[in-house]
């Protein structure tokens, strides 16, 4: 098999941007204390019950045409600013959920407002191209000054997509095409007549029964291929036909990590052995292993760099591709949990990137003929321009450094709360992971619901975790408010 | 089974808008002759070979980071206007392909430019909501004054999506959940323990082996579920695992229709019988039938209203859902080929809508619990605002009427060419379908390539068809140019 597996390089993980080069650490430290949004509220404000009367009336109206059973709150985006989200009844909540971890640089960010007003944006909005056929003349420039500035080292090419699910599925498609190409003996080997005919019947050998290996509790999206790799909750999967694809156990680490070093290492080895066994034995051959750096929807499950290094080693050894799903962790998680890890073959991104796609480096991951990996729009240049604006803002404000500093500060505060209220803050995790922090708590759903009346918009993951997903403009003074409110909330639950 | 199948109503097919009510036919007639874009070129202009030197240099640059093997031309959207697309070397082509049938109201449409500059658009771009959780307070208003104004009669609710593929797949998911819900005995029946456990293993009964029936030559997208219903070309499907789902024959009509009335009716009956047999006998039970009103990618294959009526009757009789894929035909095809046809259960849309989703009417098509049909973004409000602007423009300019008039005129001209050059214009089709016209020609690929040097940007569909997909602002004077150039092109091929 040709060498898709690149030489060992350090992973600067997908869309985890370098700290702004022009800012010294001291400048960044200062920057992280001076508010980025001078007009932001200094504290949450809540008057009356949530949802309030205006919210309820508007929800009833929306319900006539749009399913609102997952409604959290109808939002007044004109009144939302920075880290604060406003509802229709005038309440302003500190938002540490951030549109399911997808808003990076604050509501009504002034720089993004400028980006929205550029002629490039107008043209992208009103002259939407079919990017595979008729890209705008500046598309290479937009990619190089935007999307690709956040690319992991060694993955210098991109296939653009619309959202996380189709980013993952197009990466799977690239993996399947690559796998079969290697089986055939290379890109120049033509398809057989039998392949050409059988694929029109959705049958092998043209439509082969290959698989993607993912992990228990993983979340990779909800379309048919991505959902077949999603193993988060039954409610995500019930009644939907799925491919017969294998799942391995994701390490279930014990906390605090420093007290369970050997146990956790053994658990990770056990999981790695399971991965290798499945690759070798599963009846539908595995074309790629798909993993999140931190299982996000599935409950904020972490693993050590050694585990990911192990996955890279196994996939290299067994000649299957290694895909990392950075949809939720990407665009500045803080310090880099996967470092050092060998470069994956593909890394997918979306959410805080506000656009989507997969990065890759090996040119052989381009299918051997045009129009095999293709669709009408292949992404949206308007959203690619927004991503570029986000990267500018991350660098201008030193948001990698801010997220590291604020995350450490916040984690310290949560540790103190965990010592004081151990039953409410179990398995605290995300140390050195910026603000990507979580813990388990017995009455999680009540806590999340109750938090609104204390002015906090917060989310859960998995069965029992509270997950923090603040924006990158979340600062120490916001952390102070969050810590104070959390203490009040757990006493009220 | 509860009545998902609505009473017989006439189909005002998906996103086929009513002609602007305020315009009389006479006014519309005039409108269709006065140029909508006063600054549009009066004719194509081509200097030198296409692709020219600037295009070639830019393509080489783009190729370093983005697969360009499907590149048609790098486009200068600043110089593109109305029906004319400009390349990097200063060539301006009359565009009857329109970004693979996805640009409706012309390049640099001034009304859309205004929409792009509104505060609503800025907010939608920079404060992107998770629409299922935190929709903006005006989301109901945006839907009602936009997306839903183009809804087929009786389908007054919408699930929004990103593009055609995920619109189709979410419709399939709704169909599967509905089918199982009916099997279980209704929405109040809880999932069994066995279902909850088996679905986590991608196995039945939780992940049932149900199917979607589609048609040979159909195109419904390229993600894993949609690709399993796509039967257009092997190159779209090769090496990608597919579900074991059934395909029925789409009628292969003979032209001219008026000379093959009985033969064609018999062909359609044969295909309908096959559909019914597959629904009754296919080993993976059919939850829904999916069909395009005109098979578009698959070669511009038409069928009569009686065929679609037959599909509606069969699906009613057999208690399976009937989904119509209007991704390519939607948003003003011209007169309505499906009329009269009973209302489908779901209708999907994208492309000229510039956003995507599926319309439905029966509230039981909302799954019985929240978060079953859900994803982070569930569409893009920025693109929903563009769709609203498009609908405004269609009504303001009377583009339904324009497309009817121009389409009839163009069809007449093509008939004359077909009489003169019968070998070059075979099976002319699309009469009374606005400008959605196609014909077969022996050297199709050469013709499409050659057309550029004559200043025409045109596309193909299927193995041998030239497909016309002009914008809705395509007028008689454009048709005159196209007809003249086509005559020159076929003589040069």
């Amino acid at each position: 098999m040709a060498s898709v597996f690149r030489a060992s390089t350090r992973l600067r993980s997908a869309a985890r941007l370098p700290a702004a080069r022009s800012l010294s650490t001291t400048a960044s430290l200062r920057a992280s204390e001076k508010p980025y949004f001078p007009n932001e509220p200094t504290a949450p404000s809540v008057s009356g019950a949530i949802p309030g009367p205006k919210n309820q009336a508007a929800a009833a109206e929306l319900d006539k045409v749009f399913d609102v059973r997952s409604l959290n709150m109808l939002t007044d985006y004109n009144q939302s600013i920075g880290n604060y989200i406003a509802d229709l009844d005038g309440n302003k909540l500190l938002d540490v959920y951030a549109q399911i971890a997808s808003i990076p640089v604050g509501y009504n960010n002034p720089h993004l407002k400028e980006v929205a007003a550029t002629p490039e944006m107008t043209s992208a909005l009103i002259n939407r191209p079919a990017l595979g056929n008729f890209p705008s003349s500046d598309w290479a420039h937009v990619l190089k000054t935007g999307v690709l500035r956040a690319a992991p080292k060694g993955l210098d090419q991109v296939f653009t997509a619309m959202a996380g699910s189709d980013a993952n599925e197009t990466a799977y498609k690239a993996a399947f095409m690559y796998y079969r190409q290697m089986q055939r003996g290379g890109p120049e080997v033509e398809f057989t007549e039998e392949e050409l005919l059988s694929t029109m019947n959705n049958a092998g050998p043209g439509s082969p029964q290959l698989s993607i290996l993912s992990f228990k509790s993983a979340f990779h999206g909800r379309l048919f291929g991505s959902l077949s790799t999603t193993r988060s909750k039954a409610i995500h999967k019930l009644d939907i036909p799925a491919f017969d694809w294998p799942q391995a156990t994701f390490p279930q680490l014990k906390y605090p990590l420093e007290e369970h070093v050997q146990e956790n290492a053994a658990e990770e080895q056990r999981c790695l052995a399971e991965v290798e066994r499945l690759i070798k034995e599963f009846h539908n051959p595995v074309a790629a292993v798909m993993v999140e750096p931190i299982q996000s929807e599935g409950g904020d499950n972490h693993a050590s760099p050694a585990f990911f290094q192990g996955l890279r080693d196994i996939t290299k050894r067994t000649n299957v591709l290694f895909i990392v799903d950075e949809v939720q962790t990407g665009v500045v998680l803080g310090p880099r949990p996967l470092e050092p890890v060998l470069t994956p073959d593909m890394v997918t991104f979306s959410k805080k990137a506000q656009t989507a796609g997969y990065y890759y480096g090996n040119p052989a991951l381009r299918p051997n003929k045009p129009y095999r990996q293709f669709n009408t729009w292949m992404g949206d240049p308007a959203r690619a321009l927004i991503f570029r604006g986000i990267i500018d803002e991350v660098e201008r404000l030193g948001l990698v450094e801010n997220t590291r500093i604020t995350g450490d500060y916040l984690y310290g505060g949560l540790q103190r709360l965990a010592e004081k209220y151990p039953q409410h803050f179990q398995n605290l995790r995300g140390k050195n992971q910026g603000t990507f922090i979580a813990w388990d708590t017995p009455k999680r759903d009540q806590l999340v619901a109750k938090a609104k009346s204390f002015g906090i918009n917060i989310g859960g993951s998995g069965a029992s975790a509270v997950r923090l997903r603040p924006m990158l403009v979340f600062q120490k003074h916001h952390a102070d408010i969050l810590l104070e409110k959390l203490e009040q909330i757990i006493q009220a639950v």
Side-chain angles (χ1 to χ4, degrees), chain A:
Chain A
M1 189 178 272
S3 170
V4 65
F5 304 108
R6 66 196 50 264
S8 159
T9 54
R10 295 209 150 218
L11 173 67
R12 189 159 48 65
S13 188
R16 296 202 188 115
L17 299 161
R21 285 167 216 103
S22 56
L23 291 176
S24 73
T25 308
T26 323
S28 299
L29 270 168
R30 277 205 309 276
S32 79
E33 289 174 6
K34 183 181 158 197
Y36 297 129
F37 288 84
N39 301 326
E40 224 182 16
T42 52
S45 59
V46 174
S47 56
I50 296 179
K54 285 186 187 169
N55 195 314
Q56 291 183 45
E61 191 60 26
L62 181 57
D63 182 50
K64 292 176 188 163
V65 296
F66 196 78
D67 190 349
V68 297
R69 287 169 303 164
S70 58
L71 187 68
N72 194 309
M73 59 192 246
L74 277 154
T75 305
D76 185 343
Y77 287 102
N78 293 326
Q79 296 300 316
S80 302
I81 180 166
N83 295 273
Y84 283 84
I85 186 169
D87 76 3
L88 267 192
D89 294 276
N91 302 302
K92 292 189 178 173
L93 284 68
L94 181 63
D95 189 359
V96 294
Y97 193 36
Q99 307 297 323
I100 320 180
S102 73
I103 292 280
V105 293
Y107 294 116
N108 286 301
N109 178 288
H111 177 62
L112 292 193
K113 203 170 274 189
E114 286 168 17
V115 170
T118 56
E120 290 90 338
M121 179 62 81
T122 302
S123 184
L125 283 171
I126 72 176
N127 302 316
R128 185 172 194 171
L131 283 169
N133 280 169
F134 303 94
S136 66
S137 47
D138 65 347
W139 183 231
H141 180 72
V142 170
L143 290 175
K144 286 179 194 170
T145 57
V147 172
L148 285 164
R149 248 160 86 206
K153 196 173 169 192
L155 306 190
D156 56 357
Q157 298 176 61
V158 66
F159 184 85
T160 47
M162 300 295 302
S165 275
D166 63 307
N168 288 343
E169 296 209 358
T170 46
Y172 297 168
K173 288 181 68 175
F176 288 127
M177 290 188 270
Y178 176 81
Y179 185 94
R180 287 288 296 131
Q181 184 165 301
M182 292 301 103
Q183 275 193 326
R184 269 184 206 103
E188 67 290 343
V189 181
E190 286 297 326
F191 308 113
T192 65
E193 196 61 24
E194 193 188 0
E195 286 177 320
L196 292 166
L197 290 173
S198 58
T199 195
M200 300 307 290
N201 292 319
N202 290 6
S207 303
Q209 293 195 319
L210 300 174
S211 68
I212 303 288
L213 184 151
S214 63
F215 289 88
K216 288 176 189 168
S217 321
F219 185 92
H220 300 295
R222 292 163 160 265
L223 299 171
F224 286 80
S226 48
L227 190 62
S228 293
T229 55
T230 285
R231 313 277 185 163
S232 43
K233 294 180 178 168
I235 199 75
H236 298 156
K237 292 171 71 70
L238 279 158
D239 298 345
I240 312 301
F243 289 108
D244 183 13
W245 291 355
Q247 60 180 331
T249 310
F250 193 83
Q252 297 179 282
L253 302 189
K254 293 196 174 160
Y255 294 86
L257 293 176
E258 51 278 20
E259 294 173 19
H260 301 84
V261 174
Q262 285 189 308
E263 227 174 322
N264 288 339
E267 165 74 355
E268 292 191 339
Q269 285 307 313
R270 190 182 68 81
C271 294
L272 287 171
E274 189 182 342
V275 169
E276 185 149 11
R277 186 180 56 73
L278 283 167
I279 290 175
K280 288 179 176 160
E281 296 177 6
F282 194 75
H283 49 278
N284 291 328
V286 175
V289 169
M290 179 68 159
V291 73
E292 298 156 273
I294 299 169
Q295 288 194 329
S296 305
E297 295 300 316
D300 280 56
N301 307 315
H302 295 245
S304 76
F307 175 72
F308 294 99
Q309 177 72 55
L311 289 180
R312 174 72 288 189
D313 292 345
I314 291 168
T315 50
K316 264 188 143 174
R317 204 158 56 227
T318 52
N319 279 343
V320 309
L321 295 173
F322 182 41
I323 314 177
V324 173
D325 177 342
E326 286 259 33
V327 168
Q328 187 151 165
T329 53
V331 190
V332 189
L333 182 145
R336 299 165 190 110
L338 290 197
E339 197 169 348
V341 164
L342 300 180
T343 306
D345 297 300
M346 289 180 270
V347 171
T348 63
F349 62 95
S350 186
K351 285 203 182 256
K352 288 206 289 295
Q354 293 279 298
T355 179
Y358 65 85
Y359 298 113
Y360 65 105
N362 184 343
L365 284 171
R366 289 186 185 180
N368 67 338
K369 291 175 191 288
Y371 287 103
R372 300 192 69 192
Q373 186 78 300
F374 184 86
N375 59 68
T376 297
W377 287 328
M378 294 185 15
D380 185 339
R383 291 296 173 189
L385 291 171
I386 291 288
F387 189 19
R388 184 166 74 179
I390 289 165
I391 295 170
D392 288 341
E393 200 64 350
V394 167
E395 297 208 341
R396 185 177 74 84
L397 297 174
L399 297 181
V400 176
E401 189 67 359
N402 174 65
T403 300
R404 188 184 69 74
I405 292 168
T406 310
D408 290 350
Y409 181 78
L410 176 60
Y411 190 87
L414 288 164
Q415 272 187 313
R416 286 190 294 279
L417 284 174
E419 283 160 22
K420 201 166 166 188
Y421 308 98
Q423 76 282 23
H424 289 286
F425 293 88
Q426 299 169 20
N427 306 321
L428 182 65
R429 50 204 187 267
K431 190 177 184 178
N432 297 330
Q433 311 296 337
T435 54
F436 208 100
I437 299 172
W439 63 91
D440 296 316
T441 195
K443 298 181 183 168
R444 194 272 312 275
D445 291 348
Q446 291 102 302
L447 183 150
V448 166
K450 195 78 186 172
K452 282 219 171 46
S453 60
F454 288 84
I456 303 292
N457 187 42
I458 199 167
S461 65
S464 58
V466 177
R467 65 169 149 174
L468 301 186
R469 296 291 188 274
M471 304 169 192
L472 309 178
V473 291
F474 188 79
Q475 296 173 279
K476 282 185 179 175
H477 60 277
H478 302 114
D480 287 333
I481 293 170
L482 177 62
L483 291 165
E484 183 193 330
K485 296 289 181 183
L486 279 172
E487 189 164 5
Q488 296 170 10
I489 295 164
I490 57 161
Q491 286 166 345
V493 170

